[in-house]
Amino acid sequence: AEMSFEWPWQYRFPPFFTLQPNVDTRQKQMTAWCSLVLSYCRLNKQYTMTVMEAQESPLFNNKKLQRKLPMESIQVVLEELRKKGNLEWLDKNKSSFLIMWRRPEEWGKLIYQWVSKNGLTNSVFTLYELSNGDDTENEEFHGLEESMLLRALQALQQEHRAEIITLDDGRGVKFFQ
Amino acid sequence: MGFILDHVAFIAKIVVHLHPAPSNKEPGPFQSSKYSYIKLSFKEHGQIEFYRRLSEEMTQRRWENMPVSQTIQINRGPQAGRIRAVGIVGIERKLEEKRKETDKNISEAFEDLSKLMEKAKEMVELSKSIANKIKEKQGDITEDETIRFKSYLLSMGIANPVTRETHGSGTHYHMQLAKQLAGILQAPLEERGGIMSLTEVYCLVNRARGLELLSPEDLVNACKMLVALKLPLRLRLFDSGVMVIELQSHNEEEMVASALETVSEKGSLTAEEFAKLVGMSVLLAKERLLLAEKMGHLCRDDSVEGLRFYPNLFMTQS
């Protein structure tokens, strides 16, 4: 459900919806767009999106102002996000993408903090328990989309703080000290 | 052959007695004739000259020496007899010969034209080599002669690569023209806020001249020399390709600052709105707004409603 979102001042500025030809101006514009996309998706806990969705969403389409960011410009914004490491294409056709308003490493860190805070290292969890269990209800990573969760755990695995294991009914993870 | 003078009618006659036909004679228009002579009557005159020439030919018998190919073909059609240059066929043949003759004349004429073209090409090559020598200062030519030579080249319509440089070169003609323009344009420029598009200048100058109109190339070439000649105007080229003439005292960048004020006051403006407010042509108004955008003072809103310029809040606001 879409919660009330506080739009930045740029959202009400018509030139925001035109790709600026002046290089310095464009840089500021892109920074503002990237930031807006990430905060919008964070608030709505949206982890993935299709390009079609994006075009029609209030994010790129300000009905009140009667301005919408044209498709080519949306592509430019998405490419900027990808370069910054906040976006990954899910298919070759670039029709849908993963929007990482928090990067896998950051998620991993949050999860590990919760694990160690509660003295749960050396325990095994199923993926479901982590993202949807009662114990994690108040945590930010509660409801985290599976592919994101897996990447978060992979990041921890790289740091030798966790190990992804295969259980009878799916996958799980063991955390280390 | 005999020469009879008929006293009664006073008509001269030449009688030509004919030999009997040889056995191998080709068939002619008649199979036979009861006469063995022909009479040629001369009503007015010409008999003496004709007699002389006929006697000559009879002696020379040139017809016996003619090559076979030149003799007329015999037509073995229903009307047995030789084809002569008479009738429709004769007319057709004459037309054909005339056509061939014309063709030949045209080819010959074009030969002359291609020869002319070759000469012209040589001339152009020669001028180019001289022009290059001037450029490389290999020739033993004085400054004054150089300028004169260049103007000759230009008057012949030969583009001199030296005149394309913008500094200190160009023909004498263009230099004079540049000085003239500076005189003509001072007042109009001041009236128009110190800047005019080159097309406006072109119209204004040619309207004033009446006769001996300037070509666009001459105008541009003269304007390119304004700065080098230290005249109080200059030619400026905008990114969009638009060319303008500005007074040296005019500072477009300063005008941009005032444009920003105007736009800020109104929130946003299109080129047309801005032109109307400031009293400028739309072309120059747009160039000023684009320059302001380039300098980072303005940004644009491009939608179905048109192109509007706003103060660049991206830079000024946090």
Side-chain angles (χ1 to χ4, degrees), chain B residues 263-296:
Chain B
V263 174
S264 303
E265 270 170 46
K266 301 287 176 182
S268 72
L269 289 172
T270 64
E272 292 79 15
E273 288 165 358
F274 179 65
K276 206 166 175 184
L277 264 173
V278 180
M280 276 175 95
S281 70
V282 178
L283 180 80
L284 293 179
K286 183 147 187 208
E287 287 304 323
R288 188 165 291 173
L289 293 173
L290 288 172
L291 183 61
E293 181 189 46
K294 187 177 175 182
M295 290 168 70

PDB file of all heavy atoms in Angstrom, chain B residues 263-296:
ATOM      1  N   VAL B 263      13.511  36.766 -16.424  1.00  0.00           N
ATOM      2  CA  VAL B 263      12.869  35.441 -16.336  1.00  0.00           C
ATOM      3  C   VAL B 263      12.432  35.163 -14.904  1.00  0.00           C
ATOM      4  O   VAL B 263      11.320  34.676 -14.672  1.00  0.00           O
ATOM      5  CB  VAL B 263      13.819  34.328 -16.843  1.00  0.00           C
ATOM      6  CG1 VAL B 263      13.213  32.950 -16.616  1.00  0.00           C
ATOM      7  CG2 VAL B 263      14.126  34.495 -18.323  1.00  0.00           C
ATOM      8  N   SER B 264      13.290  35.501 -13.954  1.00  0.00           N
ATOM      9  CA  SER B 264      12.966  35.256 -12.539  1.00  0.00           C
ATOM     10  C   SER B 264      11.716  36.013 -12.130  1.00  0.00           C
ATOM     11  O   SER B 264      10.853  35.475 -11.439  1.00  0.00           O
ATOM     12  CB  SER B 264      14.129  35.666 -11.643  1.00  0.00           C
ATOM     13  OG  SER B 264      15.289  34.979 -12.014  1.00  0.00           O
ATOM     14  N   GLU B 265      11.634  37.272 -12.585  1.00  0.00           N
ATOM     15  CA  GLU B 265      10.454  38.085 -12.256  1.00  0.00           C
ATOM     16  C   GLU B 265       9.168  37.416 -12.719  1.00  0.00           C
ATOM     17  O   GLU B 265       8.153  37.444 -12.034  1.00  0.00           O
ATOM     18  CB  GLU B 265      10.542  39.440 -12.955  1.00  0.00           C
ATOM     19  CG  GLU B 265      11.229  40.532 -12.165  1.00  0.00           C
ATOM     20  CD  GLU B 265      11.480  41.739 -13.052  1.00  0.00           C
ATOM     21  OE1 GLU B 265      10.552  42.132 -13.774  1.00  0.00           O
ATOM     22  OE2 GLU B 265      12.620  42.254 -13.016  1.00  0.00           O
ATOM     23  N   LYS B 266       9.214  36.828 -13.911  1.00  0.00           N
ATOM     24  CA  LYS B 266       8.009  36.237 -14.482  1.00  0.00           C
ATOM     25  C   LYS B 266       7.846  34.758 -14.155  1.00  0.00           C
ATOM     26  O   LYS B 266       6.865  34.148 -14.575  1.00  0.00           O
ATOM     27  CB  LYS B 266       8.035  36.407 -16.018  1.00  0.00           C
ATOM     28  CG  LYS B 266       8.105  37.845 -16.475  1.00  0.00           C
ATOM     29  CD  LYS B 266       6.789  38.551 -16.260  1.00  0.00           C
ATOM     30  CE  LYS B 266       6.907  40.021 -16.631  1.00  0.00           C
ATOM     31  NZ  LYS B 266       5.662  40.751 -16.383  1.00  0.00           N
ATOM     32  N   GLY B 267       8.804  34.196 -13.441  1.00  0.00           N
ATOM     33  CA  GLY B 267       8.721  32.769 -13.106  1.00  0.00           C
ATOM     34  C   GLY B 267       9.305  31.911 -14.203  1.00  0.00           C
ATOM     35  O   GLY B 267      10.197  31.112 -13.969  1.00  0.00           O
ATOM     36  N   SER B 268       8.793  32.057 -15.402  1.00  0.00           N
ATOM     37  CA  SER B 268       9.321  31.327 -16.548  1.00  0.00           C
ATOM     38  C   SER B 268       8.896  32.062 -17.807  1.00  0.00           C
ATOM     39  O   SER B 268       7.898  32.771 -17.802  1.00  0.00           O
ATOM     40  CB  SER B 268       8.779  29.902 -16.592  1.00  0.00           C
ATOM     41  OG  SER B 268       7.423  29.902 -16.967  1.00  0.00           O
ATOM     42  N   LEU B 269       9.676  31.916 -18.886  1.00  0.00           N
ATOM     43  CA  LEU B 269       9.334  32.583 -20.148  1.00  0.00           C
ATOM     44  C   LEU B 269       9.695  31.721 -21.350  1.00  0.00           C
ATOM     45  O   LEU B 269      10.685  30.989 -21.308  1.00  0.00           O
ATOM     46  CB  LEU B 269      10.101  33.910 -20.275  1.00  0.00           C
ATOM     47  CG  LEU B 269       9.696  35.071 -19.371  1.00  0.00           C
ATOM     48  CD1 LEU B 269      10.684  36.212 -19.507  1.00  0.00           C
ATOM     49  CD2 LEU B 269       8.295  35.556 -19.715  1.00  0.00           C
ATOM     50  N   THR B 270       8.910  31.854 -22.416  1.00  0.00           N
ATOM     51  CA  THR B 270       9.303  31.254 -23.696  1.00  0.00           C
ATOM     52  C   THR B 270      10.116  32.304 -24.440  1.00  0.00           C
ATOM     53  O   THR B 270      10.139  33.472 -24.039  1.00  0.00           O
ATOM     54  CB  THR B 270       8.088  30.897 -24.563  1.00  0.00           C
ATOM     55  OG1 THR B 270       7.407  32.117 -24.895  1.00  0.00           O
ATOM     56  CG2 THR B 270       7.140  29.965 -23.843  1.00  0.00           C
ATOM     57  N   ALA B 271      10.771  31.911 -25.537  1.00  0.00           N
ATOM     58  CA  ALA B 271      11.568  32.847 -26.334  1.00  0.00           C
ATOM     59  C   ALA B 271      10.676  33.974 -26.875  1.00  0.00           C
ATOM     60  O   ALA B 271      11.075  35.139 -26.882  1.00  0.00           O
ATOM     61  CB  ALA B 271      12.267  32.114 -27.462  1.00  0.00           C
ATOM     62  N   GLU B 272       9.473  33.609 -27.309  1.00  0.00           N
ATOM     63  CA  GLU B 272       8.552  34.614 -27.861  1.00  0.00           C
ATOM     64  C   GLU B 272       8.158  35.645 -26.803  1.00  0.00           C
ATOM     65  O   GLU B 272       8.160  36.848 -27.058  1.00  0.00           O
ATOM     66  CB  GLU B 272       7.288  33.952 -28.410  1.00  0.00           C
ATOM     67  CG  GLU B 272       7.492  33.098 -29.655  1.00  0.00           C
ATOM     68  CD  GLU B 272       8.073  31.713 -29.360  1.00  0.00           C
ATOM     69  OE1 GLU B 272       8.067  31.288 -28.183  1.00  0.00           O
ATOM     70  OE2 GLU B 272       8.566  31.079 -30.306  1.00  0.00           O
ATOM     71  N   GLU B 273       7.810  35.135 -25.601  1.00  0.00           N
ATOM     72  CA  GLU B 273       7.401  36.033 -24.515  1.00  0.00           C
ATOM     73  C   GLU B 273       8.537  36.978 -24.143  1.00  0.00           C
ATOM     74  O   GLU B 273       8.339  38.175 -23.942  1.00  0.00           O
ATOM     75  CB  GLU B 273       6.985  35.209 -23.280  1.00  0.00           C
ATOM     76  CG  GLU B 273       5.659  34.491 -23.439  1.00  0.00           C
ATOM     77  CD  GLU B 273       5.435  33.405 -22.379  1.00  0.00           C
ATOM     78  OE1 GLU B 273       6.343  33.185 -21.538  1.00  0.00           O
ATOM     79  OE2 GLU B 273       4.359  32.767 -22.413  1.00  0.00           O
ATOM     80  N   PHE B 274       9.739  36.399 -24.047  1.00  0.00           N
ATOM     81  CA  PHE B 274      10.910  37.189 -23.688  1.00  0.00           C
ATOM     82  C   PHE B 274      11.190  38.260 -24.740  1.00  0.00           C
ATOM     83  O   PHE B 274      11.467  39.419 -24.410  1.00  0.00           O
ATOM     84  CB  PHE B 274      12.119  36.259 -23.495  1.00  0.00           C
ATOM     85  CG  PHE B 274      13.393  36.957 -23.134  1.00  0.00           C
ATOM     86  CD1 PHE B 274      13.517  37.631 -21.925  1.00  0.00           C
ATOM     87  CD2 PHE B 274      14.476  36.950 -24.001  1.00  0.00           C
ATOM     88  CE1 PHE B 274      14.697  38.281 -21.584  1.00  0.00           C
ATOM     89  CE2 PHE B 274      15.659  37.592 -23.666  1.00  0.00           C
ATOM     90  CZ  PHE B 274      15.769  38.261 -22.460  1.00  0.00           C
ATOM     91  N   ALA B 275      11.091  37.871 -26.017  1.00  0.00           N
ATOM     92  CA  ALA B 275      11.344  38.804 -27.115  1.00  0.00           C
ATOM     93  C   ALA B 275      10.415  39.998 -27.028  1.00  0.00           C
ATOM     94  O   ALA B 275      10.826  41.156 -27.188  1.00  0.00           O
ATOM     95  CB  ALA B 275      11.168  38.095 -28.452  1.00  0.00           C
ATOM     96  N   LYS B 276       9.159  39.701 -26.749  1.00  0.00           N
ATOM     97  CA  LYS B 276       8.150  40.747 -26.686  1.00  0.00           C
ATOM     98  C   LYS B 276       8.429  41.714 -25.523  1.00  0.00           C
ATOM     99  O   LYS B 276       8.397  42.935 -25.681  1.00  0.00           O
ATOM    100  CB  LYS B 276       6.779  40.104 -26.487  1.00  0.00           C
ATOM    101  CG  LYS B 276       5.629  40.940 -26.998  1.00  0.00           C
ATOM    102  CD  LYS B 276       4.358  40.093 -27.080  1.00  0.00           C
ATOM    103  CE  LYS B 276       3.164  40.963 -27.479  1.00  0.00           C
ATOM    104  NZ  LYS B 276       1.920  40.200 -27.484  1.00  0.00           N
ATOM    105  N   LEU B 277       8.771  41.140 -24.369  1.00  0.00           N
ATOM    106  CA  LEU B 277       9.053  41.935 -23.175  1.00  0.00           C
ATOM    107  C   LEU B 277      10.227  42.882 -23.380  1.00  0.00           C
ATOM    108  O   LEU B 277      10.181  44.058 -23.005  1.00  0.00           O
ATOM    109  CB  LEU B 277       9.407  41.009 -22.006  1.00  0.00           C
ATOM    110  CG  LEU B 277       8.287  40.643 -21.043  1.00  0.00           C
ATOM    111  CD1 LEU B 277       8.779  39.588 -20.076  1.00  0.00           C
ATOM    112  CD2 LEU B 277       7.811  41.869 -20.284  1.00  0.00           C
ATOM    113  N   VAL B 278      11.303  42.338 -23.996  1.00  0.00           N
ATOM    114  CA  VAL B 278      12.544  43.105 -24.096  1.00  0.00           C
ATOM    115  C   VAL B 278      12.593  43.962 -25.371  1.00  0.00           C
ATOM    116  O   VAL B 278      13.361  44.901 -25.471  1.00  0.00           O
ATOM    117  CB  VAL B 278      13.746  42.121 -24.037  1.00  0.00           C
ATOM    118  CG1 VAL B 278      15.053  42.839 -24.125  1.00  0.00           C
ATOM    119  CG2 VAL B 278      13.697  41.324 -22.759  1.00  0.00           C
ATOM    120  N   GLY B 279      11.765  43.610 -26.355  1.00  0.00           N
ATOM    121  CA  GLY B 279      11.786  44.359 -27.610  1.00  0.00           C
ATOM    122  C   GLY B 279      12.906  43.899 -28.528  1.00  0.00           C
ATOM    123  O   GLY B 279      13.625  44.694 -29.125  1.00  0.00           O
ATOM    124  N   MET B 280      13.045  42.580 -28.626  1.00  0.00           N
ATOM    125  CA  MET B 280      14.083  42.005 -29.501  1.00  0.00           C
ATOM    126  C   MET B 280      13.421  41.104 -30.522  1.00  0.00           C
ATOM    127  O   MET B 280      12.280  40.711 -30.343  1.00  0.00           O
ATOM    128  CB  MET B 280      14.981  41.078 -28.678  1.00  0.00           C
ATOM    129  CG  MET B 280      16.086  41.709 -27.927  1.00  0.00           C
ATOM    130  SD  MET B 280      16.878  40.434 -26.946  1.00  0.00           S
ATOM    131  CE  MET B 280      18.198  39.986 -28.042  1.00  0.00           C
ATOM    132  N   SER B 281      14.191  40.714 -31.557  1.00  0.00           N
ATOM    133  CA  SER B 281      13.663  39.708 -32.483  1.00  0.00           C
ATOM    134  C   SER B 281      13.659  38.365 -31.749  1.00  0.00           C
ATOM    135  O   SER B 281      14.486  38.148 -30.870  1.00  0.00           O
ATOM    136  CB  SER B 281      14.539  39.613 -33.726  1.00  0.00           C
ATOM    137  OG  SER B 281      15.785  39.037 -33.423  1.00  0.00           O
ATOM    138  N   VAL B 282      12.730  37.492 -32.111  1.00  0.00           N
ATOM    139  CA  VAL B 282      12.623  36.189 -31.448  1.00  0.00           C
ATOM    140  C   VAL B 282      13.905  35.382 -31.611  1.00  0.00           C
ATOM    141  O   VAL B 282      14.348  34.708 -30.686  1.00  0.00           O
ATOM    142  CB  VAL B 282      11.413  35.392 -31.995  1.00  0.00           C
ATOM    143  CG1 VAL B 282      11.329  34.027 -31.335  1.00  0.00           C
ATOM    144  CG2 VAL B 282      10.129  36.162 -31.754  1.00  0.00           C
ATOM    145  N   LEU B 283      14.533  35.499 -32.787  1.00  0.00           N
ATOM    146  CA  LEU B 283      15.778  34.760 -33.055  1.00  0.00           C
ATOM    147  C   LEU B 283      16.854  35.128 -32.042  1.00  0.00           C
ATOM    148  O   LEU B 283      17.474  34.268 -31.432  1.00  0.00           O
ATOM    149  CB  LEU B 283      16.261  35.064 -34.476  1.00  0.00           C
ATOM    150  CG  LEU B 283      17.550  34.366 -34.895  1.00  0.00           C
ATOM    151  CD1 LEU B 283      17.276  32.937 -35.294  1.00  0.00           C
ATOM    152  CD2 LEU B 283      18.215  35.102 -36.035  1.00  0.00           C
ATOM    153  N   LEU B 284      17.058  36.441 -31.862  1.00  0.00           N
ATOM    154  CA  LEU B 284      18.094  36.891 -30.936  1.00  0.00           C
ATOM    155  C   LEU B 284      17.698  36.642 -29.488  1.00  0.00           C
ATOM    156  O   LEU B 284      18.549  36.353 -28.646  1.00  0.00           O
ATOM    157  CB  LEU B 284      18.408  38.374 -31.161  1.00  0.00           C
ATOM    158  CG  LEU B 284      19.068  38.685 -32.507  1.00  0.00           C
ATOM    159  CD1 LEU B 284      19.326  40.177 -32.640  1.00  0.00           C
ATOM    160  CD2 LEU B 284      20.354  37.913 -32.691  1.00  0.00           C
ATOM    161  N   ALA B 285      16.386  36.737 -29.212  1.00  0.00           N
ATOM    162  CA  ALA B 285      15.908  36.459 -27.863  1.00  0.00           C
ATOM    163  C   ALA B 285      16.233  35.014 -27.498  1.00  0.00           C
ATOM    164  O   ALA B 285      16.731  34.732 -26.410  1.00  0.00           O
ATOM    165  CB  ALA B 285      14.407  36.698 -27.782  1.00  0.00           C
ATOM    166  N   LYS B 286      15.972  34.105 -28.436  1.00  0.00           N
ATOM    167  CA  LYS B 286      16.230  32.687 -28.172  1.00  0.00           C
ATOM    168  C   LYS B 286      17.723  32.450 -27.940  1.00  0.00           C
ATOM    169  O   LYS B 286      18.097  31.699 -27.052  1.00  0.00           O
ATOM    170  CB  LYS B 286      15.738  31.851 -29.364  1.00  0.00           C
ATOM    171  CG  LYS B 286      15.902  30.363 -29.141  1.00  0.00           C
ATOM    172  CD  LYS B 286      14.820  29.568 -29.797  1.00  0.00           C
ATOM    173  CE  LYS B 286      14.942  28.101 -29.383  1.00  0.00           C
ATOM    174  NZ  LYS B 286      14.421  27.215 -30.401  1.00  0.00           N
ATOM    175  N   GLU B 287      18.561  33.128 -28.773  1.00  0.00           N
ATOM    176  CA  GLU B 287      20.013  32.952 -28.614  1.00  0.00           C
ATOM    177  C   GLU B 287      20.466  33.396 -27.237  1.00  0.00           C
ATOM    178  O   GLU B 287      21.332  32.779 -26.626  1.00  0.00           O
ATOM    179  CB  GLU B 287      20.777  33.728 -29.691  1.00  0.00           C
ATOM    180  CG  GLU B 287      20.692  33.121 -31.077  1.00  0.00           C
ATOM    181  CD  GLU B 287      21.153  31.676 -31.138  1.00  0.00           C
ATOM    182  OE1 GLU B 287      22.121  31.304 -30.438  1.00  0.00           O
ATOM    183  OE2 GLU B 287      20.532  30.895 -31.883  1.00  0.00           O
ATOM    184  N   ARG B 288      19.855  34.489 -26.746  1.00  0.00           N
ATOM    185  CA  ARG B 288      20.237  34.991 -25.420  1.00  0.00           C
ATOM    186  C   ARG B 288      19.837  33.998 -24.337  1.00  0.00           C
ATOM    187  O   ARG B 288      20.610  33.723 -23.408  1.00  0.00           O
ATOM    188  CB  ARG B 288      19.605  36.345 -25.172  1.00  0.00           C
ATOM    189  CG  ARG B 288      20.127  37.010 -23.896  1.00  0.00           C
ATOM    190  CD  ARG B 288      19.775  38.472 -23.840  1.00  0.00           C
ATOM    191  NE  ARG B 288      20.510  39.232 -24.841  1.00  0.00           N
ATOM    192  CZ  ARG B 288      20.297  40.520 -25.109  1.00  0.00           C
ATOM    193  NH1 ARG B 288      19.353  41.180 -24.461  1.00  0.00           N
ATOM    194  NH2 ARG B 288      21.006  41.139 -26.026  1.00  0.00           N
ATOM    195  N   LEU B 289      18.634  33.454 -24.444  1.00  0.00           N
ATOM    196  CA  LEU B 289      18.169  32.479 -23.449  1.00  0.00           C
ATOM    197  C   LEU B 289      19.028  31.216 -23.499  1.00  0.00           C
ATOM    198  O   LEU B 289      19.375  30.641 -22.460  1.00  0.00           O
ATOM    199  CB  LEU B 289      16.696  32.132 -23.690  1.00  0.00           C
ATOM    200  CG  LEU B 289      15.703  33.265 -23.456  1.00  0.00           C
ATOM    201  CD1 LEU B 289      14.301  32.851 -23.884  1.00  0.00           C
ATOM    202  CD2 LEU B 289      15.682  33.692 -21.996  1.00  0.00           C
ATOM    203  N   LEU B 290      19.403  30.778 -24.717  1.00  0.00           N
ATOM    204  CA  LEU B 290      20.246  29.587 -24.849  1.00  0.00           C
ATOM    205  C   LEU B 290      21.625  29.834 -24.245  1.00  0.00           C
ATOM    206  O   LEU B 290      22.204  28.948 -23.615  1.00  0.00           O
ATOM    207  CB  LEU B 290      20.382  29.198 -26.329  1.00  0.00           C
ATOM    208  CG  LEU B 290      19.134  28.587 -26.965  1.00  0.00           C
ATOM    209  CD1 LEU B 290      19.323  28.419 -28.471  1.00  0.00           C
ATOM    210  CD2 LEU B 290      18.802  27.238 -26.340  1.00  0.00           C
ATOM    211  N   LEU B 291      22.136  31.052 -24.438  1.00  0.00           N
ATOM    212  CA  LEU B 291      23.427  31.391 -23.859  1.00  0.00           C
ATOM    213  C   LEU B 291      23.331  31.369 -22.336  1.00  0.00           C
ATOM    214  O   LEU B 291      24.219  30.866 -21.652  1.00  0.00           O
ATOM    215  CB  LEU B 291      23.883  32.763 -24.358  1.00  0.00           C
ATOM    216  CG  LEU B 291      25.266  33.220 -23.897  1.00  0.00           C
ATOM    217  CD1 LEU B 291      26.338  32.253 -24.385  1.00  0.00           C
ATOM    218  CD2 LEU B 291      25.572  34.633 -24.387  1.00  0.00           C
ATOM    219  N   ALA B 292      22.224  31.896 -21.825  1.00  0.00           N
ATOM    220  CA  ALA B 292      22.010  31.889 -20.374  1.00  0.00           C
ATOM    221  C   ALA B 292      21.959  30.459 -19.854  1.00  0.00           C
ATOM    222  O   ALA B 292      22.490  30.155 -18.783  1.00  0.00           O
ATOM    223  CB  ALA B 292      20.720  32.628 -20.037  1.00  0.00           C
ATOM    224  N   GLU B 293      21.342  29.563 -20.626  1.00  0.00           N
ATOM    225  CA  GLU B 293      21.264  28.150 -20.240  1.00  0.00           C
ATOM    226  C   GLU B 293      22.657  27.539 -20.258  1.00  0.00           C
ATOM    227  O   GLU B 293      23.043  26.807 -19.346  1.00  0.00           O
ATOM    228  CB  GLU B 293      20.338  27.394 -21.198  1.00  0.00           C
ATOM    229  CG  GLU B 293      20.187  25.918 -20.834  1.00  0.00           C
ATOM    230  CD  GLU B 293      19.439  25.137 -21.913  1.00  0.00           C
ATOM    231  OE1 GLU B 293      19.763  25.300 -23.111  1.00  0.00           O
ATOM    232  OE2 GLU B 293      18.554  24.344 -21.545  1.00  0.00           O
ATOM    233  N   LYS B 294      23.413  27.870 -21.289  1.00  0.00           N
ATOM    234  CA  LYS B 294      24.779  27.346 -21.422  1.00  0.00           C
ATOM    235  C   LYS B 294      25.633  27.794 -20.234  1.00  0.00           C
ATOM    236  O   LYS B 294      26.468  27.035 -19.745  1.00  0.00           O
ATOM    237  CB  LYS B 294      25.388  27.860 -22.729  1.00  0.00           C
ATOM    238  CG  LYS B 294      26.728  27.271 -23.084  1.00  0.00           C
ATOM    239  CD  LYS B 294      27.196  27.797 -24.423  1.00  0.00           C
ATOM    240  CE  LYS B 294      28.612  27.299 -24.721  1.00  0.00           C
ATOM    241  NZ  LYS B 294      29.106  27.839 -25.994  1.00  0.00           N
ATOM    242  N   MET B 295      25.396  29.023 -19.797  1.00  0.00           N
ATOM    243  CA  MET B 295      26.175  29.560 -18.679  1.00  0.00           C
ATOM    244  C   MET B 295      25.659  29.060 -17.339  1.00  0.00           C
ATOM    245  O   MET B 295      26.217  29.406 -16.296  1.00  0.00           O
ATOM    246  CB  MET B 295      26.152  31.096 -18.720  1.00  0.00           C
ATOM    247  CG  MET B 295      26.959  31.674 -19.874  1.00  0.00           C
ATOM    248  SD  MET B 295      26.648  33.425 -20.108  1.00  0.00           S
ATOM    249  CE  MET B 295      27.425  34.102 -18.654  1.00  0.00           C
ATOM    250  N   GLY B 296      24.560  28.287 -17.370  1.00  0.00           N
ATOM    251  CA  GLY B 296      24.048  27.688 -16.138  1.00  0.00           C
ATOM    252  C   GLY B 296      23.069  28.550 -15.370  1.00  0.00           C
ATOM    253  O   GLY B 296      22.683  28.196 -14.261  1.00  0.00           O
TER     254      GLY B 296
END
